[in-house]
């Protein structure tokens, strides 16, 4: 499946967070803009840099009315360790069967490898921004924050 495009309704989903609690996209709709970012793997250099950059900008996102949610295929236990080790204040979701990743088309390299993709979803559940880049980690955060501020 190709990556979901701007203007598309974001599919709802429910996945366990780093404490095992089920979290749904619908939990935030109507109240917050959601910055949903898919990343390849906990505890790797690029993904740690990305998560820590979101952490360092987290207050800017929440001040602008957004919630940041990270998704990878790692387990709840791995997410719990990763979030604790780096002081991540946002939710990490365990998409262990990669179903949500596939639903959003958040893959790269011919649809085989896990992609680094960020979506900004407005309060009505519509995708307002989609950014895909394995290497431009800072671009995910900068672009997402610009869009969130425009949606205020």
């Amino acid at each position: 499946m190709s990556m979901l495009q701007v203007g598309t309704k974001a599919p709802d989903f429910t996945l366990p967070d780093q404490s095992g609690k089920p979290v749904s996209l619908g939990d935030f709709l109507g109240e917050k803009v959601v910055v949903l970012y898919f990343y390849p793997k906990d505890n790797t250099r690029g993904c740690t840099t990305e998560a820590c950059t979101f952490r360092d900008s987290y207050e800017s996102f929440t001040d602008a009315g957004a919630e940041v949610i990270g998704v990878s295929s790692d387990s709840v236990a791995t997410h719990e360790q990763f979030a604790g080790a780096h002081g991540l204040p946002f939710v990490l979701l365990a998409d262990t069967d990669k179903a949500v990743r596939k639903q959003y088309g958040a893959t790269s390299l011919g649809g085989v490898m896990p992609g680094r993709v960020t979506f900004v979803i407005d309060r009505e559940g519509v995708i307002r921004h989609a950014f895909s880049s394995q290497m431009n980690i800072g671009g995910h955060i900068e672009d997402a924050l610009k869009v969130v501020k425009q949606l205020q």
Side-chain angles (χ1 to χ4, degrees):
M1 178 179 189
S2 62
M3 188 171 94
L4 294 179
Q5 299 299 308
V6 171
T8 304
K9 185 83 169 167
D12 198 9
F13 58 82
T14 303
L15 292 171
D17 71 6
Q18 63 263 44
S19 65
K21 178 183 140 211
V23 174
S24 299
L25 177 63
D27 296 343
F28 302 95
L29 299 183
E31 295 178 27
K32 294 183 180 247
V33 171
V34 174
V35 177
L36 182 67
Y37 85 96
F38 291 87
Y39 64 99
K41 189 158 182 56
D42 290 340
N43 299 305
T44 58
R45 189 175 73 228
C47 296
T48 299
T49 298
E50 182 176 30
C52 290
T53 305
F54 269 118
R55 175 200 65 205
D56 296 346
S57 300
Y58 185 67
E59 190 174 329
S60 296
F61 281 101
T62 58
D63 286 351
E67 186 56 54
V68 175
I69 301 173
V71 180
S72 82
S73 59
D74 290 304
S75 69
V76 167
T78 303
H79 280 339
E80 182 179 38
Q81 180 279 326
F82 184 57
H86 300 287
L88 305 180
F90 49 85
V91 172
L92 296 178
L93 299 179
D95 183 23
T96 54
D97 64 1
K98 301 179 181 127
V100 175
R101 177 180 289 283
K102 288 176 189 161
Q103 198 174 20
Y104 278 74
T107 56
S108 67
L109 299 175
V112 178
M113 299 291 293
R116 186 179 313 280
V117 180
T118 300
F119 296 96
V120 177
I121 303 165
D122 71 14
R123 289 172 179 81
E124 287 73 46
V126 176
I127 295 171
R128 295 297 175 196
H129 177 73
F131 185 86
S132 177
S133 175
Q134 289 296 97
M135 305 311 291
N136 185 2
I137 293 167
H140 288 268
I141 293 91
E142 293 165 17
D143 287 1
L145 189 54
K146 283 180 197 168
V147 173
V148 166
K149 287 179 177 179
Q150 291 169 357
L151 292 172
Q152 263 185 311

